[in-house]
Amino acid sequence: MVTQTPQTPYLPLSPAPTSPDPHETAYHDAPWLDPTTDALRLVDHRARRRAIPAELAAPGRYLALNDGQKALLVALEREVTHIGRGFTSDLRIEEHRVSRRHAILVQRGPSVRLLDDRSANGTFVNGRRIIESDLENGDVLLIGPVALRYVEIPLA
């Protein structure tokens, strides 16, 4: 039986696409992943301090973190951003199901790529478990059970 995650208007978690590849894992098949939409309370003080409302964001690339009421954006300022529970992570998520070194975001020219950093509970993009994936505006990322959204704000 497949259960769907409740959807919220500010951080949509779409159901995992069905895949003909039997080796692909969707987050539905991972019962230890109970997606958490309240990501802002789980990030460390450095990320919370940098988080801004979407209406104040300049053109650029961001990760949207839900604070329970609305999404706040954290700018992707570096070419390489390490995400995890460890103290050396650029975006530190304080959740026991997030690995110390969980994922890496790499910005190269016009593209952004998310890489799983050999995490225990997996990295998912739009419901599919990934090893690496190019990101597009609006993609929902699950870092362990923590939901983030990739956002690009273009020049006006």
Side-chain angles (χ1 to χ4, degrees):
M1 182 173 138
V2 175
T3 59
Q4 288 188 333
T5 304
Q7 293 191 1
T8 59
Y10 43 86
L11 186 62
L13 295 176
S14 57
T18 56
S19 172
D21 185 353
H23 301 292
E24 268 187 30
T25 303
Y27 63 78
H28 292 98
D29 301 327
W32 63 90
L33 293 180
D34 177 22
T36 302
T37 57
D38 234 2
L40 189 63
R41 68 181 173 81
L42 298 175
V43 298
D44 71 346
H45 66 281
R46 295 174 298 159
R48 280 196 300 271
R49 207 175 320 133
R50 291 187 332 221
I52 59 172
E55 56 271 7
L56 299 179
R61 296 172 174 155
Y62 299 87
L63 287 178
L65 309 172
N66 185 330
D67 77 346
Q69 301 297 319
K70 61 182 177 179
L72 295 179
L73 303 179
V74 174
L76 297 175
E77 299 164 340
R78 300 178 176 187
E79 185 176 319
V80 176
T81 302
H82 295 270
I83 302 170
R85 197 180 75 239
F87 290 112
T88 60
S89 296
D90 301 312
L91 181 62
R92 185 166 179 263
I93 301 173
E94 298 170 356
E95 213 291 337
H96 71 278
R97 292 169 287 180
V98 172
S99 297
R100 286 183 187 93
R101 294 176 43 189
H102 199 102
I104 302 169
L105 266 169
V106 180
Q107 299 184 69
R108 293 267 164 93
S111 67
V112 176
R113 180 168 282 229
L114 180 66
L115 309 162
D116 183 75
D117 198 5
R118 297 173 291 166
S119 65
N121 288 326
T123 302
F124 295 75
V125 174
N126 297 329
R128 284 199 173 138
R129 188 172 191 151
I130 59 103
I131 293 173
E132 62 180 43
S133 177
D134 288 325
L135 297 180
E136 295 182 18
N137 187 31
D139 283 347
V140 175
L141 320 176
L142 285 180
I143 305 299
V146 179
L148 310 168
R149 188 169 19 105
Y150 173 71
V151 176
E152 290 181 358
I153 298 178
L155 289 169

